Amino acid sequence: MPLLDPGLRADEAQTFSAIQLFMACAAASGNGFVLSDERALAVAGICSRLGGVALAIELAAGRVGAYGIEGIASLLDSSFGLDWRGRRTASPRQQTLHATLDWSHDLLSGNEQAVLRRVSVFVGTFTLEAAQAVACKELDEDQIVIHVGDLVAKSLVSAVTADDGVMRYRLLETTRGYAFGKLQASGELDATAQRHARYFSRLLESASGGSGDRQRDWRALGAHLGNVRAALDWCFGNPESNPRDAALGTDLVAGAAPVFLQLLLLIECRQWSAKALSWLGHADRGTRKEMVLQEALARAAMWTGAGETVRSAIARALDIAQRLGETSDRLRLMVGHHIFLVRAGDYRASLAVAEEMGSAAQTSTDVSYMIVADWMLASSQHFLGHQRVAARAFEHGFGRVGPRNLQLFGLDYHVRALVPYARTLWLAGHPDRAMAVAREAIAEAAASGHSVDVCFSLLYATPVFLWCGDWNAASEALGKAMQHTNWQALLSFHAGGLALHGELLAQLGQIDRGTAMLRDALKAMKAERQFILVKRTACEFADALMRSGRLDEASAVVADAITETQDGEEPLEMPELLRLQAAVLLSMPDKDELQAEDCLVRSLACARRQDASAWELRTATSFARLRMSQGRLEEAHEILVGVYRSFTEGFGTRDLQAAAQLLNELDGFNASAAKPPRTPSR
């Protein structure tokens, strides 16, 4: 059978006998179809769906001229293809695929026919155990084993040994379609579908062995997703809009949610969890089942951009966990609550959650939660502008002995700590160490292979590279993030990625294009209430507007960003916002130097309160340029030199290079001014 490889070429495809037969039959029908690279995968898919059955391939290929390749593929989803007629010279039972299957079906015993139609409810492969659970009714398990074997011997069911050594069975799509029609006609469909749903509900329940992120690797259960989806469709689907079996459906969703989450089927998880919660019975309200569903909904919505859904789902799950006395569940949910609050820009609330986590973690026997509490506290302090406190808390957590590869609410917590720690290091005046830690976070996430970790690390480490002026590193990180296989599923990252891409383009000289992207990103982040990068984006947007001469717009962007700051809160970008406000004032035709000086003085004071040497250096450089333009050279030198000399690394980064260049200019001016005037020669 042909491999369904997205890169399959026509010449490779025609090495498979099934495709050779398809092309020969298509040519014999006189439709002039030629296999191209673009159509190779579609034809391979058709042959695969037909299981390589010669008659089925002949019938399908003979209809290419009438329906086209895409039409053939679509018609195979229905039973229409069963009635395509073959050669007139063929025997009656080979005139259509339906006739052939009728002939084979009529040769079966009554019990064999019953097993065949009942196992048609399976999507893809199934085990003997699954067949026994679903095809039972009046048949016992031993009889089903015998009849499945008979169906294999009569080529109506295929058998294959899987990688795990377990024998699995499947019906060819054409046979399954035929048998499913028989199941519908028999009146047994609902009873069979219910047994099918119950089997997979029990399978998922027995596989759980726990809760949250510390369960087993769920990827092996991904092979059952086709059957789980079919079971969910049956449970919740009904022409009258009422579920056929809501209780069974909610059990299935609760069991399947970890599989959806690990496979990053986030939108699907979000939709099924919401549906299950909407039909949750009164007896299940406030139970562990509801808590599991609320957590699944929150986790799926977290990365697909539904902020208010996350807030309400986490709040409800936390309330249930606390009332049930489930300490480990409560701690895990507090981690999710903290992630949500940081992303929403509510840093003071996130600090309160981190402090509560630190107290609650002391009651747990799992020391890892104490480490996580340190990192949560550090992250909140970082965004609140307390860099020295943040650095100490990060380093305290890193100094503890705990597990690695700890996944909580979809993120590796060591990776989540490394990223804001890198940002903290840059702000604290350690740019080389900051870039090293950012690269460590990216490498660790890549080694884990978890898509959320990989994209999270690449996206949120990029600001460090941009701050340092390493455009190549920033471009590479953004490129890897946006080209990642699962980037499209992580909707809540998209606006941030757009903003950072726009910033990079503006820095590389594509100001108009970068400005447009920054504007769109800022609008999207506010609409989605994803505030973690909003003020940074506002800074870069204002800077790009200013450099393109749109001073009034730049002034309005800065003013809005400052106004939107919560009362009593001094976010980490405040020194930069004040510096940019001064820069806009000094660029105006009627520049206001006094007001600009006030902004710069306030920026310096704010940077010092935050222990943010990086912001202090930027502002001191801007202030020194102003003093130099005023002819106050010694004062300019004094403003800048002390801050510059406090740095012990990062002299190749853009801000330190700019400061060094300005100091050299000032030294040159001061040296010229210190030279005695030359005595004219006589």
Side-chain angles (χ1 to χ4, degrees):
M1 291 299 296
L3 300 175
L4 299 182
D5 183 347
L8 185 68
R9 300 194 311 271
D11 57 344
E12 295 172 328
Q14 295 193 86
T15 62
F16 294 97
S17 58
I19 292 181
Q20 290 170 2
L21 175 61
F22 185 96
M23 294 306 300
C25 294
S29 67
N31 59 59
F33 174 71
V34 176
L35 188 65
S36 63
D37 289 343
E38 292 74 22
R39 296 288 182 82
L41 183 60
V43 172
I46 289 171
C47 292
S48 180
R49 289 280 304 278
L50 296 173
V53 175
L55 175 59
I57 291 173
E58 178 185 338
L59 294 174
R63 296 301 184 276
V64 170
Y67 305 115
I69 292 297
E70 290 75 12
I72 294 293
S74 176
L75 289 170
L76 286 176
D77 290 331
S78 68
S79 59
F80 186 77
L82 292 173
D83 292 318
W84 285 336
R85 299 196 66 81
R87 298 185 305 274
R88 294 179 181 178
T89 56
S91 64
R93 67 181 174 87
Q94 291 181 322
Q95 285 286 333
T96 67
L97 201 56
H98 198 288
T100 301
L101 289 168
D102 269 340
W103 180 78
S104 298
H105 180 266
D106 291 345
L107 294 177
L108 300 177
S109 69
N111 285 344
E112 288 172 336
Q113 290 177 355
V115 171
L116 179 65
R117 65 176 178 263
R118 291 169 192 169
V119 296
S120 72
V121 77
F122 289 106
V123 177
T125 63
F126 57 92
T127 62
L128 199 55
E129 176 191 29
Q132 290 170 322
V134 171
C136 50
K137 199 178 178 181
E138 76 287 355
L139 301 173
D140 62 34
E141 293 183 351
D142 290 341
Q143 287 177 301
I144 293 170
V145 171
I146 293 170
H147 295 320
V148 168
D150 291 340
L151 292 170
V152 171
K154 295 173 182 179
S155 300
L156 288 167
V157 172
S158 312
V160 61
T161 303
D163 293 338
D164 57 7
V166 177
M167 184 68 76
R168 285 184 168 80
Y169 305 87
R170 72 176 302 148
L171 277 67
L172 298 179
E173 286 296 316
T174 48
T175 307
R176 180 173 179 263
Y178 173 87
F180 194 77
K182 293 290 186 183
L183 180 64
Q184 290 174 308
S186 71
E188 295 180 339
L189 176 58
D190 281 347
T192 305
Q194 187 176 56
R195 291 195 297 272
H196 174 265
R198 282 179 180 158
Y199 172 77
F200 284 100
S201 178
R202 290 194 300 268
L203 178 70
L204 292 168
E205 182 182 5
S206 65
S208 64
S211 63
D213 299 82
R214 295 194 180 190
Q215 297 175 18
R216 55 171 289 178
D217 184 347
W218 292 90
R219 282 171 291 190
L221 293 171
H224 301 297
L225 275 184
N227 282 295
V228 171
R229 289 180 179 122
L232 287 170
D233 284 336
W234 179 83
C235 287
F236 288 114
N238 196 322
E240 287 74 35
S241 78
N242 291 319
R244 292 187 179 92
D245 196 330
L248 180 54
T250 55
D251 286 343
L252 262 171
V253 176
V259 185
F260 288 131
L261 289 168
Q262 189 167 84
L263 296 179
L264 224 64
L265 300 170
L266 301 177
I267 293 177
E268 191 170 1
C269 182
R270 178 175 148 189
Q271 291 171 341
W272 283 122
S273 298
K275 184 177 283 290
L277 285 164
S278 71
W279 289 103
L280 194 66
H282 180 74
D284 287 324
R285 297 285 174 184
T287 65
R288 180 169 188 81
K289 184 192 294 186
E290 184 188 356
M291 184 184 70
V292 168
L293 290 169
Q294 294 283 7
E295 181 178 353
L297 177 61
R299 280 186 57 184
M302 178 82 76
W303 309 115
T304 54
E308 290 310 307
T309 299
V310 180
R311 187 190 295 275
S312 58
I314 287 182
R316 175 62 178 164
L318 272 168
D319 179 62
I320 296 172
Q322 187 158 5
R323 285 191 291 103
L324 294 179
E326 298 284 1
T327 301
S328 61
D329 293 309
R330 179 170 170 246
L331 291 171
R332 186 181 64 256
L333 287 161
M334 288 170 71
V335 172
H337 194 197
H338 185 265
I339 296 172
F340 168 75
L341 291 169
V342 168
R343 290 168 62 80
D346 196 346
Y347 304 127
R348 282 188 295 187
S350 78
L351 180 61
V353 170
E355 290 170 342
E356 183 184 1
M357 175 81 168
S359 299
Q362 293 178 12
T363 66
S364 173
T365 56
D366 191 342
V367 68
S368 59
Y369 282 110
M370 289 298 298
I371 301 171
V372 172
D374 283 338
W375 291 338
M376 287 166 55
L377 180 71
S379 180
S380 296
Q381 296 286 15
H382 161 69
F383 285 105
L384 283 166
H386 307 146
Q387 305 312 321
R388 184 175 296 177
V389 176
R392 283 200 301 265
F394 276 126
E395 288 156 9
H396 188 256
F398 291 129
R400 292 175 181 262
V401 177
R404 300 296 290 269
N405 303 319
L406 175 60
Q407 286 278 325
L408 291 171
F409 234 79
L411 272 178
D412 180 291
Y413 239 73
H414 195 254
V415 171
R416 193 200 171 199
L418 286 171
V419 171
Y421 181 50
R423 295 161 52 95
T424 300
L425 286 170
W426 183 83
L427 288 164
H430 307 290
D432 287 344
R433 288 175 59 197
M435 286 198 290
V437 171
R439 289 190 173 97
E440 180 185 352
I442 291 170
E444 192 166 312
S448 78
H450 292 286
S451 299
V452 177
D453 293 330
V454 171
C455 293
F456 174 89
S457 65
L458 289 165
L459 182 66
Y460 291 117
T462 295
V464 175
F465 300 136
L466 290 168
W467 278 330
C468 292
D470 191 337
W471 315 131
N472 289 334
S475 179
E476 181 182 2
L478 280 177
K480 285 182 177 178
M482 294 179 178
Q483 292 163 20
H484 190 278
T485 307
N486 289 315
W487 172 259
Q488 293 303 320
L490 300 169
L491 300 178
S492 62
F493 286 161
H494 291 187
L498 182 65
L500 293 169
H501 191 196
E503 178 183 344
L504 177 62
L505 290 177
Q507 293 293 348
L508 293 174
Q510 299 183 48
I511 296 179
D512 290 343
R513 188 178 169 205
T515 302
M517 292 174 74
L518 286 161
R519 183 190 300 277
D520 291 345
L522 196 59
K523 183 179 179 180
M525 284 188 280
K526 290 181 178 181
E528 296 168 9
R529 303 190 63 77
Q530 298 285 344
F531 292 116
I532 192 169
L533 290 177
V534 161
K535 286 186 170 53
R536 176 197 175 87
T537 302
C539 289
E540 299 304 326
F541 184 33
D543 183 62
L545 288 168
M546 184 172 56
R547 286 191 285 134
S548 60
R550 297 153 71 177
L551 301 177
D552 289 337
E553 291 180 69
S555 179
V557 170
V558 173
D560 287 346
I562 293 174
T563 302
E564 289 166 357
T565 301
Q566 295 185 31
D567 292 339
E569 192 171 287
E570 192 174 82
L572 64 86
E573 297 90 354
M574 184 60 78
E576 182 71 346
L577 287 167
L578 291 168
R579 184 189 72 82
L580 287 165
Q581 193 172 48
V584 173
L585 288 166
L586 293 171
S587 300
M588 292 287 189
D590 53 343
K591 61 183 177 182
D592 188 337
E593 290 190 358
L594 285 177
Q595 191 177 350
E597 284 185 24
D598 178 64
C599 290
L600 291 170
V601 168
R602 288 164 58 203
S603 176
L604 282 174
C606 183
R608 288 164 184 159
R609 282 194 301 274
Q610 292 191 6
D611 297 303
S613 298
W615 293 147
E616 187 180 1
L617 179 69
R618 283 193 178 183
T619 301
T621 303
S622 296
F623 209 164
R625 284 201 184 98
L626 174 60
R627 287 290 184 249
M628 187 172 71
S629 71
Q630 295 168 336
R632 299 159 68 174
L633 303 181
E634 289 186 9
E635 191 175 344
H637 189 274
E638 183 180 348
I639 288 170
L640 183 56
V641 71
V643 182
Y644 180 80
R645 287 177 178 171
S646 69
F647 282 78
T648 59
E649 61 176 80
F651 297 106
T653 58
R654 64 168 177 158
D655 290 343
L656 283 158
Q657 286 182 330
Q661 182 179 343
L662 183 56
L663 284 171
N664 287 334
E665 291 178 32
L666 289 168
D667 288 339
F669 283 126
N670 289 330
S672 298
K675 286 181 181 178
R678 291 183 61 187
T679 303
S681 57
R682 297 183 179 179

